[in-house]
Amino acid sequence: MEEQQFNVTYKVYQGRNELDREDQVLLEKASIAREGAYAPYSNFKVGAAAILENGEIVVGSNQENASFPSGLCAERVAVFQAGARFPGVPIISLAISAGSDTEPSNEPAAPCGNCRQSIYEYEHKQGKPIRVILQGSQGPVYLINAISDLLPLGFNSSQLNSQ
Ligand code: THU
């Protein structure tokens, strides 16, 4: 028997203004997208903005439904849209702004499990990390180096082909 360990290092910034300019812009786009979320059932609004290798920025926000499971998270709206509009163009970073619509949240919300898996699909396909930038509706910002850091032992296509 041998014991293995996962080690994840991420950066915590006190606010958006401490980020590099490009990350600041991306997070700003995510928080603007958040305003357009359709979240009448949870009142929890999320905005996401992905910057691609070709410089394009694609945004998304959560879209809810009276039949609850039919809704979709902001992160998947953004990365699926990136995949559809710019097939094969790598995603460099994904910024996420999340919080209740009724009171400000200082705590970043990390993507749900389904979104981690969906984002990881693209990271695995492109062979380059997708950086993740997280913020609540305000307050500290977390910078994670790769979505796989949030999904240890992630499932990917290589498992489908292994015997
Ligand atoms: N939500 C997201 O958009 N992203 C996440 O990673 C977590 C949750 C949305 C789904 C739903 O519309 C609302 O937030 C409450 O769960």
Side-chain angles (χ1 to χ4, degrees):
M1 198 279 275
E2 151 189 12
E3 212 164 50
Q4 300 280 0
Q5 221 180 358
F6 297 117
N7 244 318
V8 175
T9 304
Y10 63 100
K11 294 195 171 78
V12 179
Y13 297 89
Q14 287 322 302
R16 213 178 276 184
N17 55 341
E18 285 185 12
L19 295 171
D20 290 348
R21 184 82 196 118
E22 189 174 274
D23 291 343
Q24 269 184 44
V25 169
L26 198 63
L27 196 49
E28 183 62 29
K29 299 254 185 205
S31 64
I32 292 167
R34 178 171 171 263
E35 289 165 20
Y38 175 58
Y41 304 105
S42 71
N43 292 316
F44 189 81
K45 289 191 168 180
V46 185
I51 185 160
L52 313 188
E53 204 170 71
N54 63 3
E56 293 281 349
I57 292 179
V58 179
V59 302
S61 57
N62 54 327
Q63 300 296 316
E64 297 186 347
N65 193 285
S67 172
F68 292 178
S70 298
L72 199 61
C73 294
E75 294 89 330
R76 275 176 286 167
V77 172
V79 295
F80 290 164
Q81 194 190 164
R85 287 182 55 203
F86 303 102
V89 180
I91 300 169
I92 305 296
S93 305
L94 179 70
I96 301 159
S97 163
S100 155
D101 201 20
T102 46
E103 50 192 277
S105 137
N106 276 315
E107 201 180 338
C112 77
N114 274 321
C115 286
R116 291 178 201 207
Q117 181 69 30
S118 297
I119 302 162
Y120 176 59
E121 176 74 18
Y122 295 98
E123 182 172 278
H124 184 257
K125 177 165 78 106
Q126 69 193 34
K128 291 178 190 175
I130 298 179
R131 300 163 71 247
V132 182
I133 302 156
L134 303 174
Q135 191 180 36
S137 50
Q138 58 183 36
V141 179
Y142 297 172
L143 173 56
I144 293 131
N145 297 320
I147 191 67
S148 44
D149 285 351
L150 298 180
L151 195 67
L153 296 181
F155 182 77
N156 62 54
S157 60
S158 66
Q159 269 105 39
L160 287 177
N161 304 326
S162 63
Q163 322 276 333

